[in-house]
């Protein structure tokens, strides 16, 4: 490899731009899915290493994507298709001349295949954590779905299911059915099944025998044993987001076919807009045009890649900048802990240092035992140079040189780049980095680190971290603890249970507890670090009262760290640690605890912390997320706290919520969210999330909200009921959590620009209300929603503005001119509280509302929206639109649709026919009896 270190940044950028223009394929390295010339490139499908090898799995994946490509092309009006796909084969499978991975990994996959069942059982589903029109995180399939052809009857063909899930993932649309609200009353006072489009036909049936259809509806809910089955033969062509399994369904619901009244997630999240309206406003549609002609696009091409040996190279800055604020010591402590405890067995590890030039400190060495780990630790830099200049490209050049000695290329390798130096020449090696096939994780130390350092991790799909110059910050060790092999094998990876750091006064203590739950406990390690020459007094008690003290720890006085490894499986329960500062001055004492899964068949609880986007500009907030799961089951009712550390100033703590309000779009989905906008300074911010779950019996709500393909229980075919095989229920059982659990995860870093110096005026409005609901109770409408704050989702808003309309178009497009509801007696509560408000729409109903075309429209529904205002009259965005049916007569029941009337007529006719048959049979029997009696009487008379 040749790095053009002497080229000027401007010339280098022009050179890179030219080469990338000549070689567009370079754009897709580490860049995720890209759309060019109507085709998607770079779609990555990864198979979990716990999945058993099956010769039919890969062919079925290829068949699914190929079918999906043509189905998608037609559904998007000849606009989009899948061009190139990569399938990541786990290293646990036999080698079969697969290509070697470059920057692909399981953690970066758009689609994952794993035999872990989630909250939706075996249903294909998409993890969506943002609002309408926003991309999701990944699509999840089980091997059973991909291999069991018996499931096709319930889900539809796999290609159609993939398009359903792709729309969730790529365009941020939601499901158009609702298992919790399968029926509703429409504007014409008719009971309808929740569906889109409403032209899809079907009827109510009873699974436990024939029954009157009225018995299926009790308080707008299904009676037990009743269901609504759809006709297998339909004329309706929409919608893919409702029931892709119907052969007639070939498109998404648009403005003319969309069922705005259906109480589904699409209407709630997208303010009653159709899926096609949302999709057609996406970047994919804005950056493409429909293809001319009648020819179909070419079928997708597939490349199969498999990871080889795990290869890691530490690329460490030793310039004079590393001598500031104890940076070198903290790097040494974190790197030692990484090499001794975290890096996986059989990994090849090399070490490089750099200032203005790069130096190889250790060639690749495979980690097979503790002696190998200790040998690598001995190669860590012990001092810094006198030279202040740093050349990151020179360090990476040596790193590539090290890893290429194994197989001739850097494909699939990982670089952990740690630096505090400013370097204006990173652009010189961007093209080399792009084409290397290596993933680069960057760790920036202090405020002097190169401003465009993160471009290296962005281009290669690596993680990025920031470590502030604070003695009590544990961010360096947190960053190394977060970096894993990326294989998706959670059973082999270390999980961080504790990260604590405090400045402790002389002869004072740092005392706390950490929970080791029964899902972890293998390879458990405690790490203590300090600042002075001697260690603090360490006392550690396990749950059974066994005592460990300083003498039980392995002490490294040079690096000022002590480490205790617990053999076997650590006792589950509360471990209590106490650190006594025996030094005569204040010093920072820090504790880190990691562990591995205790069983190979039960996944441990995990947390993944992340932010939306890598940077923001004041006053736009940053959205913080924490995905808390046990396998693929969401964990509810956890206490989730984010700690955000700026370059200068005190850290900020922020509690995250899974309440379906503010930044959190779906309640109880295991993703805890919050807006962060307390920006103190410009620059980098570090994120860490701490999760605590108290001892309790935890049961997940069923079904869990989210986006997944619907399994159809059966159809009506030629007037006959045809039921599919019952779907196996995968609802999670209640399990006793005797000790609760604790988890830590670094969420990497993000950057903030444009923060004004000194005090600034209020620029933060209340957050948008996203969970407004309306219920008609007699003559009144009751609204409910979650209170926003004075600033986004913090504090207390000043007032609410509620408006109603008979016209959906009016309230969607002209909220300010819809009818205002008097809310003078409505005082907002603290953010997160549940609000309710009841009003009578009589005044509105008795008049006519001005329509957009000057016409009046009679309707049995009203549409309601709300927005909040703060004390400075800053207004939130208008909420989701809720709707309510009006004026149901007291003396009349809801009118059933034609399908139900037909069914009632059929049942009535059958009943009458039965009565007639019974009368005929009874009459026949009576006549026969009379005849026998007369015959017997005649015989007796004859013999007498």
């Amino acid at each position: 490899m040749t790095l053009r270190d002497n080229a000027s940044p401007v010339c280098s950028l022009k050179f890179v731009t030219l080469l990338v223009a000549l070689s567009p394929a370079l754009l897709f390295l580490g860049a995720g899915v890209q759309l060019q010339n109507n085709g998607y490139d770079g779609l990555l499908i990864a198979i979990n290493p716990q999945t058993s090898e099956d010769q039919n799995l890969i062919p079925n994946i290829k068949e699914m994507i190929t079918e999906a490509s043509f189905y998608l092309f037609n559904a998007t009006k000849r606009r989009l298709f899948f061009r190139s796909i990569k399938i990541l084969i786990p290293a646990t499978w036999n080698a079969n001349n697969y290509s070697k991975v470059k920057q692909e990994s399981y953690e970066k996959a758009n689609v994952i295949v794993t035999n872990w069942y989630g909250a939706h059982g075996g249903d294909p589903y998409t993890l969506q954590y943002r609002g309408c029109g926003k991309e999701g995180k990944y699509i999840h399939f089980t091997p059973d779905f991909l291999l069991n052809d018996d499931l096709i009857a319930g889900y539809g063909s796999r290609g159609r299911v993939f398009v359903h899930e792709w729309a969730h993932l790529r365009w941020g649309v939601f499901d158009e059915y609702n298992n919790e609200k399968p029926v509703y009353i429409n504007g014409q006072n008719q009971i309808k099944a929740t569906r889109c489009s409403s032209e899809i036909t079907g009827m109510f049936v009873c699974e436990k025998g024939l029954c009157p259809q009225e018995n299926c509806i009790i308080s707008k809910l299904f009676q037990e044993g009743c269901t609504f089955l759809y006709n297998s033969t339909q004329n309706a062509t929409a919608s893919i987001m409702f029931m892709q399994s119907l052969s007639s369904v070939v498109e998404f619901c648009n403005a003319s076919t969309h069922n705005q009244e259906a109480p589904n997630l699409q209407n709630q999240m997208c303010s009653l807009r159709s899926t096609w309206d949302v999709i057609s406003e996406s970047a994919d549609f804005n950056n493409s045009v429909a293809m001319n002609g009648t020819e179909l696009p070419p079928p997708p091409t597939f490349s199969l890649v498999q990871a080889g040996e795990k290869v890691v190279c530490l690329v460490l800055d030793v310039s004079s900048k590393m001598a500031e604020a104890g940076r070198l010591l903290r790097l040494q402590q974190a790197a030692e802990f990484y090499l001794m405890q975290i890096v996986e067995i059989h990994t090849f590890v090399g070490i490089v240092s750099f200032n203005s030039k790069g130096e190889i400190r250790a060639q690749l060495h495979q980690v097979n035992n503790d002696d190998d780990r200790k040998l690598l630790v001995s190669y860590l830099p012990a001092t810094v140079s006198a030279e202040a200049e740093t050349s990151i490209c020179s360090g990476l050049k040596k790193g590539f040189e090290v890893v290429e000695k194994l197989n001739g290329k850097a494909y699939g390798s990982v670089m952990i780049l740690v630096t505090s130096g400013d370097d204006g020449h990173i652009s010189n090696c961007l093209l080399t980095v792009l084409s290397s096939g290596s993933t680069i994780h960057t760790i920036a130390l202090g405020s002097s680190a190169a401003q465009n350092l993160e471009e290296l991790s962005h281009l290669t799909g690596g993680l990025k971290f920031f470590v502030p110059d604070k003695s009590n910050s544990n961010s360096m060790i947190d960053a190394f603890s977060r970096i894993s092999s990326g294989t998706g094998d959670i059973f082999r990876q270390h999980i961080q249970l504790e990260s604590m750091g405090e400045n402790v006064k002389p002869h004072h203590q740092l005392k706390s507890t950490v929970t080791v739950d029964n899902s972890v406990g293998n390879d458990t390690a405690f790490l203590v670090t300090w600042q002075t020459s001697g260690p603090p007094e360490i006392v550690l008690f396990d749950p059974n009262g066994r005592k460990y003290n300083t003498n039980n720890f392995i002490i490294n006085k040079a690096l000022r760290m002590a480490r205790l490894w617990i053999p076997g499986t650590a006792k589950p329960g509360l471990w209590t640690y106490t650190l006594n500062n025996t030094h005569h001055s204040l010093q920072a004492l820090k504790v880190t605890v990691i562990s591995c899964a205790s069983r190979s068949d039960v996944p441990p609880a995990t947390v993944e912390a992340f932010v939306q986007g890598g940077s923001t500009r004041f006053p736009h907030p940053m959205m913080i997320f924490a995905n808390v799961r046990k396998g693929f089951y969401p964990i509810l009712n956890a206490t989730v706290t984010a700690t955000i550390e700026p370059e200068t100033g005190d850290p900020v703590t922020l509690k995250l919520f899974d309440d379906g309000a503010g930044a959190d779009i779906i309640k109880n989905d295991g993703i805890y969210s919050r807006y962060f906008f307390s920006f103190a300074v410009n620059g980098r911010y570090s994120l860490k999330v701490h999760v605590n779950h108290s001892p309790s019996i935890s049961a997940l709500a069923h079904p869990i909200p989210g986006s997944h393909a619907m399994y159809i229980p059966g159809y009506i075919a030629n007037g006959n009921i045809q039921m599919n095989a019952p779907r196996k229920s995968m609802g999670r059982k209640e399990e006793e959590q005797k000790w609760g659990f604790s988890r830590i995860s670094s969420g990497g870093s993000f950057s903030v620009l444009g923060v004004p110096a000194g005090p600034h005026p209020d620029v933060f409005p209340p957050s948008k209300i996203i969970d407004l609901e309306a219920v008609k109770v007699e003559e009144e409408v009751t609204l409910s929603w979650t209170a926003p704050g004075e600033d986004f989702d913090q504090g207390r808003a000043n007032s609410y503005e509620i408006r109603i309309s008979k016209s959906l178009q009016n309230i969607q497009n002209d909220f300010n001119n819809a009818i205002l509801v008097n809310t003078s007696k409505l005082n907002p509560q603290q953010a997160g509280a549940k609000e309710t408000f009841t009003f009578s729409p009589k005044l509105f109903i008795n008049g006519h509302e001005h329509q957009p075309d000057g016409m009046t429209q009679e309707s049995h529904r009203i549409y309601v929206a709300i927005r909040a205002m703060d004390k400075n009259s800053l207004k939130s965005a208008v909420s989701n639109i809720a709707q309510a049916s009006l004026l149901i007569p007291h003396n009349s029941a809801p009118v059933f649709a034609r399908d139900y009337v037909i069914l009632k007529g059929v049942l009535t006719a059958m009943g009458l026919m039965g009565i007639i048959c019974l009368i005929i049979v009874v009459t026949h029997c009576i006549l026969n009896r009379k005849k026998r009696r007369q015959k017997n009487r005649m015989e007796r008379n004859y013999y007498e």
Side-chain angles (χ1 to χ4, degrees), residues 311-518:
V311 181
V312 176
C313 186
L314 306 184
V315 183
L316 310 177
D317 185 356
V318 292
S319 69
S320 61
K321 284 286 186 181
M322 290 295 294
E324 300 176 7
R327 293 170 184 168
L328 179 64
L329 176 61
R330 286 185 288 155
L331 169 59
Q332 291 170 323
Q333 292 170 341
E336 195 269 2
F337 190 57
Y338 175 78
L339 293 172
M340 292 302 301
Q341 293 292 154
I342 297 174
V343 70
E344 293 180 27
I345 195 76
H346 306 314
T347 301
F348 287 89
V349 181
I351 302 175
V352 165
S353 63
F354 68 94
N355 43 35
S356 63
K357 297 179 181 179
E359 178 187 357
I360 297 174
R361 305 186 69 89
Q363 297 286 358
L364 287 182
H365 192 87
Q366 190 173 30
V367 175
N368 293 311
N369 52 48
D370 274 359
D371 289 337
D372 296 323
R373 296 178 185 273
K374 292 175 183 177
L375 178 63
L376 285 165
V377 169
S378 70
Y379 290 117
L380 290 173
T383 59
V384 300
S385 72
E387 190 176 7
E389 184 181 353
T390 56
S391 173
I392 290 172
C393 287
S394 295
L396 289 175
K397 176 183 178 180
K398 289 297 183 181
F400 292 140
E401 184 180 325
V402 167
V403 300
E404 285 172 352
K405 288 187 177 180
L406 186 63
N407 293 311
K409 291 186 178 297
Y411 290 176
S413 64
V414 170
M415 302 280 166
I416 302 178
L417 173 62
V418 185
T419 182
S420 64
D422 192 10
D423 184 355
H425 302 282
I426 292 179
S427 58
N428 291 352
C429 57
L430 289 183
L431 184 60
T432 301
V433 167
L434 265 173
S435 59
S436 69
S438 180
T439 297
I440 299 177
H441 303 303
T442 59
I443 303 178
L445 278 65
S447 57
S448 60
Q451 293 304 305
N452 58 341
L453 175 67
E454 287 81 4
E455 193 65 24
L456 295 169
S457 52
H458 173 71
L459 289 174
T460 62
L463 301 173
K464 57 182 182 179
F465 303 93
F466 166 64
V467 178
D469 286 331
K470 298 183 180 69
S471 59
N472 63 343
S473 172
N474 215 19
S475 298
M476 179 75 81
I477 292 174
D478 295 338
F480 273 94
S481 300
R482 170 71 189 270
I483 297 171
S484 68
S485 62
T487 63
D489 190 352
I490 191 62
F491 297 101
R492 294 180 178 271
Q493 296 171 8
H494 281 88
I495 296 168
Q496 193 172 2
L497 308 184
E498 175 71 308
S499 175
M500 171 71 76
E502 282 188 11
N503 290 319
V504 181
K505 295 178 180 179
H507 309 295
H508 282 67
Q509 297 179 343
L510 169 61
K511 184 175 182 179
S512 189
T513 60
V514 59
T515 301
V516 178
D517 59 284
N518 57 2

Side-chain angles (χ1 to χ4, degrees), residues 529 640 712 852 900 933 936-937:
T529 64
V640 183
I712 309 303
Y900 317 134
R933 287 173 183 169
N936 291 337
R937 196 178 296 115

Side-chain angles (χ1 to χ4, degrees), residues 23-89:
S23 305
L26 288 175
L27 287 171
F28 307 127
L29 294 175
V33 179
Q34 297 290 317
L35 177 67
Q36 68 166 357
N37 298 328
N38 299 91
Y40 291 111
D41 291 291
L43 175 65
L44 178 60
I45 302 173
I47 302 172
N48 189 279
Q50 295 289 318
T51 301
S52 300
E53 188 167 358
D54 190 297
Q55 62 181 359
N56 294 319
L57 190 57
I58 293 174
N60 283 10
I61 291 174
K62 290 181 176 180
E63 182 181 329
M64 173 179 69
I65 302 299
T66 301
E67 179 195 2
S69 183
F70 296 122
Y71 188 57
L72 179 69
F73 184 70
N74 290 324
T76 57
K77 319 297 186 203
R78 300 183 54 82
R79 189 182 291 263
L80 302 170
F81 64 94
F82 298 107
R83 180 184 288 112
S84 64
I85 290 87
K86 291 182 180 179
I87 302 177
L88 178 58
I89 310 298

Side-chain angles (χ1 to χ4, degrees), residues 224-243:
E224 182 182 358
C226 292
T227 188
F228 188 86
L229 295 185
Y230 294 90
N231 296 320
S232 59
T233 301
Q234 302 275 350
N235 294 322
T237 57
S239 168
I240 292 172
M241 300 315 294
F242 172 64
M243 194 180 290

Side-chain angles (χ1 to χ4, degrees), residues 6 86 160 162 193 204 209 263 282 287 317 391 440 474 530 544 585 606 616 651 662 665 757 763 775 779 894 903 936:
N6 297 324
K86 291 182 180 179
R160 286 170 167 252
F162 189 88
F204 288 105
S282 67
N287 297 326
D317 185 356
S391 173
I440 299 177
N474 215 19
W530 61 91
N544 292 344
S585 62
T606 59
T616 189
I665 66 162
V763 291
V775 177
E779 299 299 321
L903 181 58
N936 291 337

Side-chain angles (χ1 to χ4, degrees), residues 194-209:
T194 301
R195 51 189 162 180
C196 193
S197 72
S198 54
E199 296 174 1
I200 294 178
T201 59
M203 59 181 63
F204 288 105
V205 297
C206 294
E207 294 180 274
K208 297 180 179 179

Side-chain angles (χ1 to χ4, degrees), residues 526 528 535-542 545-555 562-566 575-580:
F526 288 77
V528 176
E537 180 186 350
I538 306 172
V539 179
L540 173 68
F541 287 98
D542 77 3
R546 178 179 176 180
K547 181 180 179 180
Y548 301 85
N549 55 36
T550 311
N551 295 332
N552 299 114
F553 283 69
I554 299 172
I555 308 294
R563 182 168 42 85
L564 173 67
W565 178 73
I566 307 297
W575 290 65
T576 303
Y577 60 85
T578 303
L579 308 182
N580 293 304

